[in-house]
Structures are given as structure tokens and as C-alpha cells.
Amino acid sequence: MLHRIPFIKTPPRVSVVRLSGMIANSGRALNDANVAPLIEAAFTKGKPTAVALVINSPGGSPVQSSLIGARIRRLSEEKGIPVHAFVEDVAASGGYWLASSADSIYVDNCSVLGSIGVISAGFGAHVFLSRQGIERRVHTAGKSKSMMDPFKPEAPEDVERLDQILNQIHGAFIDQVKARRGEKLADDPDLFTGEVWIGERAVEVGLADGVGHLKPKLKELYGDKVKLVPYSRRRGLFGRLGASMALDAMASIEERAAYARFGL
């Protein structure tokens, strides 16, 4: 309550928001609907001096990454509050999009950053169906409605169309990183190829500002008496009772596979 009493000097307060896991518009994954209350509270409660983002994400939905990042930037600019990102294991793909919404980015020597690219993965089962004597019947209104159907042979025009979509999203990602990191970025031809960088090397190419951990760095920036105020998501009642166990198990497998891409 002291921060509400006039003429009493209180230590700086830094709101700490943890953004951890896959980014997706579903369930308990990171998405704008899930984290919006945390982010809004972090910027508005208790007159914070700064907001710190603790990021550990292999990425996911580009749209949800953009929405979360835009919310952070809007609040930062409206309230005049600086934002610092601290990367733990990984801030890759959409995870790096989130990190780039901060004014400064700090990493561990072993943190994985980057993967500034876009991926679309699927499978083809038409040969298997043919061998089993199964005939697939698809009827559409609109020639592109069955684009990239996994039960049909891959069509060159569908691949070309998909490439155009991926390139547009990739371009938006590149624009975001360039807008946020600007002249800090090194002139490296691999910067936007989906390559990743570790710790100090990420600093050298301009994807991060330094090696540093949350509490020591915030004490360095705001003094030894800085108060850290954590904000984290709470599981709902049904989640705590195990009602969503099957969905959580599937999400965990998918998330584990995403982290495994970076050796984690």
C-alpha cells in the first residue's frame, strides 16, 4: 500500500510476466486471450517502473505471436513503461517475436534464439490409400478448396500457392524484427533464414542486447531495492481436477516435439 501514499518514497516495482510454452489459439497454450489479463495487469497495477518478460517458447502461431507482441507494445507506449525480455531455454520463431516486443533482450549463455522463418508441415497418404484399395471422394465448390489435401497427390500449383502464403507471413516476421531491433542487427545473410544462435552469438548478431539473468540485471538497472512482482497464469478448476487430462497430454507431446527441434 505504500506506493499509494503521497510523499513516501517506495522502491521501484518491476512486473514480471512469464510467457512459457507453445503459442497457439487453443487450450492452455500461449495466446492473446489467455495472457491478455496478465499483461494488462502487469502494466496497470501498482505503478510499475518497468515490465520484465520471462520467455521460454519454441514458437507456434504467427497470428497469436503478433497479437501478444502488439498488446505489449501498445501498453508500453501508452503507459511510458519500458519492457525487458529475459530468455531462458529458447525464444525461437514466435517465441522470438514475443522477445522482440521488448525494448531490450537478455539471454543466458546457453539460450537458443532466432529461427526467424515460417514452417508448414503435413503428410501424404494417397499411396497408402491406393494400396489398401480405398478410394477417396472429394467434391468442392472452388478450385482451391482442397488445397494440400493429404489424401491426394501434391499438386505443383498448390505448392506454389502455399509458398506465397508462407513468404507473406515470413515477410511480416522480418518486418517486425527489423522494426524492433533496427540498427542493432548485424549484416548477416543467415539472419532471416530460420537459423538459430546461442547466447553470446545471439548478442553478436543483434538478436539480443547482452547476457544477463532476471534479478541481477534488474538490480543493476533499478537498484538493489527493486521489488519484483510476478504475474502468472492460473489453471482453471477443471484443469486442476484433471478433467482436461487427455487434451493436456496431447498438447504436452506436441510441445515436447517443438522443444526437441532445438535439442531441449
Side-chain angles (χ1 to χ4, degrees):
M1 296 291 293
L2 289 178
H3 64 275
R4 298 182 182 178
I5 302 175
F7 314 117
I8 295 180
K9 188 174 181 180
T10 58
R13 295 165 56 92
V14 177
S15 300
V16 180
V17 180
R18 174 170 288 276
L19 301 175
S20 181
M22 285 284 293
I23 304 168
N25 187 24
S26 61
R28 294 179 56 244
L30 282 177
N31 55 61
D32 188 54
N34 284 347
V35 302
L38 296 181
I39 295 172
E40 297 280 345
F43 278 96
T44 57
K45 288 188 175 180
K47 297 183 179 180
T49 304
V51 170
L53 308 174
V54 179
I55 297 175
N56 194 345
S57 174
S61 165
V63 173
Q64 294 303 316
S65 302
S66 177
L67 289 173
I68 296 170
R71 183 180 297 277
I72 292 167
R73 288 313 316 150
R74 174 178 60 79
L75 288 166
S76 174
E77 291 164 9
E78 285 179 359
K79 307 294 183 182
I81 296 174
V83 181
H84 309 288
F86 294 86
V87 178
E88 293 187 332
D89 295 286
V90 58
S93 196
Y96 186 74
W97 193 311
L98 300 184
S100 71
S101 66
D103 299 296
S104 58
I105 302 174
Y106 299 98
V107 299
D108 181 82
N109 271 318
C110 298
S111 298
V112 180
L113 279 78
S115 191
I116 302 171
V118 183
I119 185 171
S120 174
F123 62 90
H126 63 283
V127 174
F128 172 78
L129 292 184
S130 176
R131 288 175 178 172
Q132 302 305 311
I134 300 173
E135 179 186 5
R136 177 167 166 78
R137 297 171 181 174
V138 179
H139 306 277
T140 68
K143 66 178 183 178
S144 300
K145 191 62 179 177
S146 63
M147 182 181 103
M148 303 304 290
D149 187 326
F151 300 103
K152 297 195 308 181
E154 197 171 60
E157 60 269 24
D158 287 352
V159 175
E160 182 179 356
R161 194 175 300 114
L162 180 60
D163 284 344
Q164 292 173 357
I165 293 171
L166 296 180
N167 286 333
Q168 288 180 42
I169 298 172
H170 191 202
F173 195 172
I174 293 171
D175 290 344
Q176 160 73 12
V177 175
K178 286 184 174 180
R180 295 299 306 146
R181 301 300 296 172
E183 296 181 355
K184 294 179 180 179
L185 296 173
D187 184 17
D188 191 310
D190 291 327
L191 204 54
F192 302 120
T193 64
E195 182 62 86
V196 297
W197 285 266
I198 312 298
E200 189 63 53
R201 181 62 180 138
V203 177
E204 292 174 4
V205 298
L207 295 181
D209 296 286
V211 173
H213 295 165
L214 178 71
K215 196 164 186 178
K217 177 55 68 173
L218 292 178
K219 281 188 173 183
E220 177 187 324
L221 293 173
Y222 299 106
D224 288 339
K225 294 184 178 180
V226 63
K227 182 178 180 181
L228 308 187
V229 184
Y231 292 85
S232 59
R233 292 185 293 166
R234 295 181 180 178
R235 296 189 66 179
L237 174 62
F238 290 106
R240 291 197 300 269
L241 294 176
S244 60
M245 188 177 298
L247 291 176
D248 283 352
M250 291 298 295
S252 296
I253 292 171
E254 183 180 2
E255 183 170 290
R256 189 65 258 153
Y259 278 102
R261 290 179 53 224
F262 306 102
L264 301 170

